Amino acid sequence: MSKEDWKPGTMIYPLPAVMVSCGNAPDNYNIVTVAWTGTLCTNPPMCYISLRPERHSYRLIKENMEFVINLTTKDMAYATDWCGVRSGRDHHKFEEMHLTPGKSTVVDAPLIEESPLCIECRVKEIVALGSHHMFIADVVNVRADTSHLDTGTGKLKLAETNPLVYVHGNYYELGAKIGKFGWSVEKKK
């Protein structure tokens, strides 16, 4: 196998394609699609999103210091893409994409009812990195769609929802399960 050098770039894929909802009142609710997101810490639970400062949602999140990460599904793919290429300055994204703003439990930002999992976040710190600024946040609550709960284990069967992922400019659904964490070292029975 041969390799060639490319200019430095962000080639860590796939990533979840999430819809981040923000604002603190119905007249300023907005949605921005983000693939620059992830887990920072388990205990305390922390995550991040990275946004360009010129994005409309950047200002809303900076003013309110709260947002909700809404996981997306194959059924939400069109709305996910649309909310990423249209500006909330010019569009009411919830209304135009027929998405339902729901009441979050802890933060004022709305959640997206159609999402199978909504992660309520409170910003701890904003780090200017260059083209993007990272919003480092505490996870203050998680709301899960109960229709995807495994009653035996109490865990969310997220793979059932057909999660949407982003790979180098394209959206995909997940493929077949090939193992679970630790399966490579499990003792054979």
Side-chain angles (χ1 to χ4, degrees):
M1 181 182 329
S2 69
K3 301 225 187 279
E4 66 180 52
D5 291 330
W6 287 5
K7 70 175 188 159
T10 53
M11 298 294 292
I12 302 168
Y13 296 113
L15 296 163
V18 302
M19 297 171 84
V20 175
S21 48
C22 56
N24 61 0
D27 65 331
N28 71 4
Y29 286 170
N30 195 43
I31 302 168
V32 61
T33 300
V34 174
W36 302 161
T37 185
T39 301
L40 286 171
C41 187
T42 302
N43 189 13
M46 295 174 64
C47 62
Y48 76 92
I49 61 169
S50 291
L51 291 175
R52 292 179 180 270
E54 59 269 17
R55 297 296 299 256
H56 178 66
S57 293
Y58 178 95
R59 179 187 57 79
L60 291 169
I61 294 171
K62 190 171 181 180
E63 285 174 6
N64 298 307
M65 299 297 278
E66 297 178 338
F67 58 88
V68 178
I69 296 173
N70 302 274
L71 298 189
T72 59
T73 65
K74 180 181 175 182
D75 291 342
M76 298 172 73
Y78 183 86
T80 301
D81 183 64
W82 193 91
C83 288
V85 296
R86 302 284 188 227
S87 175
R89 289 181 191 95
D90 306 317
H91 297 275
H92 189 277
K93 295 179 184 184
F94 276 101
E95 183 179 308
E96 292 182 54
M97 285 295 98
H98 309 289
L99 295 169
T100 311
K103 180 149 179 48
S104 296
T105 302
V106 177
V107 301
D108 290 330
L111 56 80
I112 299 173
E113 289 287 352
E114 291 77 9
S115 172
L117 190 76
C118 308
I119 304 165
E120 298 179 38
C121 301
R122 189 163 287 135
V123 177
K124 259 181 97 115
E125 182 179 355
I126 303 169
V127 180
L129 299 171
S131 64
H132 289 69
H133 292 185
M134 179 186 287
F135 289 82
I136 297 172
D138 288 319
V139 174
V140 295
N141 192 50
V142 176
R143 292 190 52 96
D145 182 338
T146 58
S147 68
H148 299 290
L149 286 178
D150 182 322
T151 54
T153 64
K155 292 184 178 180
L156 186 65
K157 298 182 285 185
L158 201 54
E160 272 185 8
T161 69
N162 293 317
L164 191 62
V165 296
Y166 177 84
V167 178
H168 200 55
N170 298 291
Y171 299 104
Y172 296 90
E173 58 185 310
L174 293 181
K177 177 182 173 183
I178 59 170
K180 65 175 182 135
F181 180 74
W183 67 276
S184 65
V185 296
E186 283 182 340
K187 293 186 175 157
K188 306 294 183 221
K189 295 181 182 182

